[in-house]
Structures are given as C-alpha cells and as structure tokens.
Amino acid sequence: MEVLSTYHPDEMAVDTGKEREKMMGFVTEQASQFKTENLTRAAEAINYYTQDHIPVFAAMAENYVLFDRWFASVPGPTNPNRAYLTSGTSHGHGRNDHAFNVAGLPQRSIFQQLSEKGISWINYQNSTASGFSPDALFYNWTVTSGKNATNIKPINDFYEDAKAGKLPQFTYINPECCKYFSYHPPSPISMGEGFIKNIYEALRGSPQWNETLFILTFDEHGGFGDHVPPPVGVPPGDDLTYTELAPDGKNMTFDFKRLGVRVPTLAISPWVQKGVIEHKGMNNGGEYDHTSIPAFIAKLWGLDNLTPRTAWSSTFEHLITENFRDNTPEILPDPVFF
C-alpha cells in the first residue's frame, strides 16, 4: 500500500507525457525536482509503509470499505484537486497559485449548491498556519454570501458538535498541512494516524453515528510511485486549459482529461459491509475520482451535476446497505511511533 513516505514534491509537474502513461520515471522526476544525484534519496518516491506502520488506517480498511481504484482528479498538487472535489473543476488552475488564497475561483461549488437547497454544511479546518485556505474559501461566492463568517469553523468545534449530536447535514474537514497532525510529509505519519483516529472516534461516539457516512481520501499522491496508469476521463466542460513551461523550454498544455494517480480512499459507516475492497465503479460509465463525492451528493439530495466531470464520475451509493452493523469498533488502535 503506497500510502505516504517522508519526502514530498509539493509542486509536482502536471504531466501528460508518455512516461507517466507508462508509470515510469518516478525516481527520475524525484531526482530532478530536488536536484540530487543520490539515487537512494530519490528512490524514496517508490518507498512505502507496511500495514504494521499504519495500524489506524489498516483498522479502518479492515472494518469498512477500501477503494483500490480511486484516482486524484488532476495529475498535480493539492488545491486543484480539492477544487475538483468541491466544484467539479479547478477553473483551469494546475498549481497551488494565489487565486486559492483570495477566494478567486468563480465557479459554483457544492457549498453554494447546498446552501441554495437549504442543506446545512460546515467546513471545519484544523489550521491555516501553513498558508492553505479552507476549501470553502476557494470560492468568491463564499465571501460574497457571507458564509465565510458563518460556515467555516475551527476543528475544536467539530469535536464539540459531534459530541452534542449537532453536526450539519454535510461536514467537510480540512486537515492541517503540512507540519503536524497530518499524513503529509514532513509530518511523522504517526501524527496523521492520531488525527484520523480522533476524527473517527468522535464520529463513532456521536449520537449521529447511525446516520453517518464518513469518506476519507487524500487530495493527491505527492509524487509517490504507483503502477496503475491514470485513465482518461471527461473534462469539466469549461473549456479551460493549463499551460506552463516544460523542462525542455517548450510550452506544455494540459486539458484536464487525464486523471491523477491513485489515492487511498475509505467509506466508513455502520451501513457498509466489513472489509470490502471496492474496484472500478460500475455506474455512470466512469471511474472513481474526487468528483465522485459531489456526484454522490447530487444523487443523495437531488441536485444537479456541477460539471460534465461529476456527471461522468462513478458514485458509490450501492455500497450502502439496509443492514445496520452494531459491531463497528468504538476505539481504533494507537498510532505507532518510530
């Protein structure tokens, strides 16, 4: 399970070349990004953690549903992928650029969509110390509507709301990035395990547990190796492309058709079966990627698909059964410190 390592190229190049299609060149790219000829260091891109290193994640996988073919939406960094997750498009952004920090995205998001339908939501954030805005604050609408003042709250409020049974209909949690309480390097992976353990146990102990579906995913793979080629999907329909200067000095243009590399994703609920491995989605004709979340939300609450990408993405409502499980673990294992 190539989950995370200790070395992270934040600004992984958006790459549509043949080498990525063949899943070759991870070590070469790592050496190029960090300008090192130390192949042992560069080879950290294809390192991995064993199940014994990640007892929290492993316990959740053993007790709930693990997707083995869930792709990032963009073969690039954090914020464009989070934009796809929350609006079905990055509006042509392929980097973590300034627009994300100043509510610069104009498109309609799930937050706007839910508000228009009277469906309650809160974006809980762990920290903004790293300079990353909470995802709801990517969008101009969040500011102009005043929702930035009412619907973005600190993580401590999540724990209080979960305990009191006052979580909204849609809860969105941004973890800290990237120095503590995060799976993100250089944070020790044990701290990310501790954060996820706390979130899970707060939900499991909440009066709302019997009506909860918790989706845990990672915005992107961070440059770490995988052997499964990202498929070609449907672009978001806004006809925007991303262009940057390639290492050979030529312009490289990306049309947002190819998905990113696989990321671990879990569906956690007392209404899903235990220990299920979910493969390629069968409905919609598409794949699982981050836009599967807004696509599922659209089906759940009778909303429109935000973009052609969300309409194409596979959804996962078939994983929710009519059988309530009363044997789900209340407490997960402690993280392993090494």
Side-chain angles (χ1 to χ4, degrees):
M1 183 184 298
E2 299 85 4
V3 180
L4 290 173
S5 184
T6 55
Y7 201 42
H8 181 87
D10 270 323
E11 295 299 323
M12 185 189 75
V14 177
D15 183 359
T16 60
K18 295 296 183 182
E19 290 306 300
R20 183 158 299 284
E21 291 179 28
K22 296 178 181 177
M23 306 310 287
M24 301 285 287
F26 282 100
V27 174
T28 301
E29 177 71 9
Q30 189 84 338
S32 174
Q33 284 282 331
F34 292 94
K35 298 178 175 58
T36 179
E37 295 182 1
N38 184 335
L39 294 183
T40 299
R41 184 74 184 272
E44 290 180 9
I46 55 173
N47 206 348
Y48 61 93
Y49 287 107
T50 68
Q51 182 170 323
D52 291 340
H53 290 122
I54 50 171
V56 176
F57 193 95
M60 290 190 293
E62 290 167 353
N63 282 279
Y64 300 103
V65 177
L66 174 67
F67 294 81
D68 72 350
R69 194 177 167 87
W70 184 294
F71 297 89
S73 293
V74 180
T78 295
N79 286 341
N81 275 295
R82 294 187 181 187
Y84 267 83
L85 194 159
T86 53
S87 68
T89 178
S90 64
H91 197 68
H93 294 269
R95 293 285 192 188
N96 296 330
D97 57 48
H98 186 57
F100 294 101
N101 296 324
V102 293
L105 300 190
Q107 69 264 33
R108 192 161 171 248
S109 68
I110 54 172
F111 308 109
Q112 178 178 352
Q113 196 178 32
L114 294 173
S115 292
E116 290 169 351
K117 290 291 186 177
I119 298 168
S120 60
W121 64 271
I122 294 175
N123 183 177
Y124 297 96
Q125 58 170 330
N126 198 19
S127 173
T128 57
S130 64
F132 280 79
S133 293
D135 293 4
L137 205 51
F138 288 170
Y139 304 101
N140 179 261
W141 170 88
T142 308
V143 176
T144 59
S145 66
K147 296 296 184 182
N148 58 313
T150 59
N151 289 55
I152 298 176
K153 297 184 177 182
I155 193 66
N156 286 343
D157 284 18
F158 162 77
Y159 293 113
E160 293 175 4
D161 291 346
K163 184 176 181 179
K166 295 182 178 179
L167 290 171
Q169 290 167 279
F170 180 66
T171 294
Y172 191 88
I173 300 175
N174 280 122
E176 175 274 337
C177 179
C178 306
K179 297 180 180 177
Y180 57 93
F181 300 141
S182 173
Y183 277 103
H184 193 302
S187 171
I189 198 169
S190 54
M191 299 184 79
E193 288 264 288
F195 176 70
I196 294 302
K197 172 182 166 72
N198 290 340
I199 296 293
Y200 170 85
E201 291 176 1
L203 291 172
R204 179 61 179 83
S206 171
Q208 294 169 283
W209 170 244
N210 64 355
E211 55 185 3
T212 293
L213 173 64
F214 173 28
I215 303 296
L216 171 63
T217 191
F218 295 73
D219 48 43
E220 40 97 352
H221 74 117
F224 300 114
D226 190 24
H227 66 284
V228 177
V232 172
V234 170
D238 47 25
D239 297 325
L240 296 172
T241 58
Y242 173 73
T243 301
E244 69 172 31
L245 197 65
D248 61 4
K250 298 179 181 179
N251 281 336
M252 176 182 65
T253 299
F254 180 62
D255 57 9
F256 297 98
K257 289 181 180 178
R258 187 170 296 280
L259 304 183
V261 177
R262 290 191 307 170
V263 293
T265 300
L266 293 165
I268 298 166
S269 174
W271 297 99
V272 302
Q273 295 182 46
K274 179 178 180 179
V276 171
I277 305 296
E278 172 70 355
H279 308 299
K280 181 178 179 179
M282 300 301 293
N283 56 323
N284 293 4
E287 298 275 359
Y288 288 118
D289 79 310
H290 293 330
T291 57
S292 293
I293 293 175
F296 169 78
I297 290 172
K299 288 187 175 181
L300 178 64
W301 282 308
L303 308 176
D304 295 333
N305 277 296
L306 288 165
T307 68
R309 171 66 72 83
T310 64
W312 170 84
S313 297
S314 194
T315 52
F316 41 83
E317 63 276 0
H318 59 282
L319 298 174
I320 301 170
T321 73
E322 296 181 355
N323 300 314
F324 180 84
R325 291 171 51 207
D326 58 8
N327 62 344
T328 55
E330 296 181 21
I331 304 295
L332 294 179
D334 291 328
V336 172
F337 294 87
F338 56 91

